[in-house]
Amino acid sequence: MTITRFAPFRAPLSDVALLQHRLNSIFNEFPRVSGETESLSTGNFVPPVDVYEDAHKVVLKLEVPGIKQEDLDIRLENQTLTVKGERKFEKEEKEENFHRIERSYGSFVRSFTVPQTVDTDSIAASYDAGVLTISLNKKAEAKPKQVKISVGSTPEPKQVEASAA
């Protein structure tokens, strides 16, 4: 005889997976705010972003596949960088012919607070293979400076004998 542990809330795997998927989709629709430096608007499509910094610039990389370059709007106003766009649903196929739709569609807005160390006059953006890269150069005074210090021996101070006047 096999002994099995009683688990009253255990449901068949397919039911649990379906419930988890539904709960995840509900919570993914809510906007997430991480700190005060970034805000997300409501919408079905929120592109992920990587932000990194080196000694000379701050770089943002947004994944925006399926969006044409001319459909992206990048603006900087009062130290806030805003990226807007929209991924449109292809109407070539009728919706009832789809078996599954997992990609997100809709408009999005991502906003980032730009640090004071960034030179707002020298911002560049490029778009390649569905990745939007925005480079924000730092101001010259914010870049680290290296000063060459020569190391050498210094002559010992000479002792002067006092003479009577």
Side-chain angles (χ1 to χ4, degrees), residues 44-48 62-74 83-90 103-110 126-133:
N44 294 334
F45 174 57
V46 180
L62 287 91
E63 287 184 7
V64 288
I67 298 177
K68 295 178 183 174
Q69 183 174 344
E70 56 269 9
D71 292 338
L72 292 169
D73 182 23
I74 306 165
V83 181
K84 296 179 185 179
E86 182 176 6
R87 185 176 354 188
K88 298 175 184 169
F89 185 73
E90 296 117 9
R103 297 187 303 159
S104 299
Y105 297 93
S107 60
F108 72 90
V109 176
R110 297 287 311 251
S126 63
Y127 185 71
D128 184 38
V131 177
L132 174 65
T133 303

Side-chain angles (χ1 to χ4, degrees), residues 15-157:
D15 292 343
V16 172
L18 180 62
L19 178 64
Q20 181 179 3
H21 176 70
R22 286 183 181 170
L23 286 173
N24 286 342
S25 66
I26 289 170
F27 287 114
N28 285 338
E29 289 177 6
F30 288 109
R32 294 181 298 270
V33 177
S34 59
E36 296 177 0
T37 60
E38 174 183 356
S39 65
L40 306 177
S41 72
T42 58
N44 294 334
F45 174 57
V46 180
V49 63
D50 292 336
V51 181
Y52 65 91
E53 179 178 5
D54 64 16
H56 304 286
K57 63 187 173 208
V58 177
V59 178
L60 291 86
K61 288 189 173 192
L62 287 91
E63 287 184 7
V64 288
I67 298 177
K68 295 178 183 174
Q69 183 174 344
E70 56 269 9
D71 292 338
L72 292 169
D73 182 23
I74 306 165
R75 296 177 188 258
L76 179 70
E77 186 175 332
N78 297 330
Q79 296 302 115
T80 301
L81 177 70
T82 304
V83 181
K84 296 179 185 179
E86 182 176 6
R87 185 176 354 188
K88 298 175 184 169
F89 185 73
E90 296 117 9
K91 294 291 183 182
E92 298 169 4
E93 304 291 331
K94 293 181 180 177
E95 286 189 35
E96 58 265 8
N97 289 341
F98 280 92
H99 293 282
R100 181 179 296 222
I101 299 175
E102 292 186 352
R103 297 187 303 159
S104 299
Y105 297 93
S107 60
F108 72 90
V109 176
R110 297 287 311 251
S111 296
F112 305 92
T113 300
V114 176
Q116 295 289 333
T117 58
V118 168
D119 181 12
T120 57
D121 294 330
S122 64
I123 297 176
S126 63
Y127 185 71
D128 184 38
V131 177
L132 174 65
T133 303
I134 304 171
S135 297
L136 306 132
N137 292 329
K138 290 185 178 181
K139 294 178 182 175
E141 58 268 14
K143 294 179 183 179
K145 296 179 183 176
Q146 292 184 352
V147 178
K148 178 77 174 167
I149 300 172
S150 60
V151 179
S153 61
T154 57
E156 299 215 11

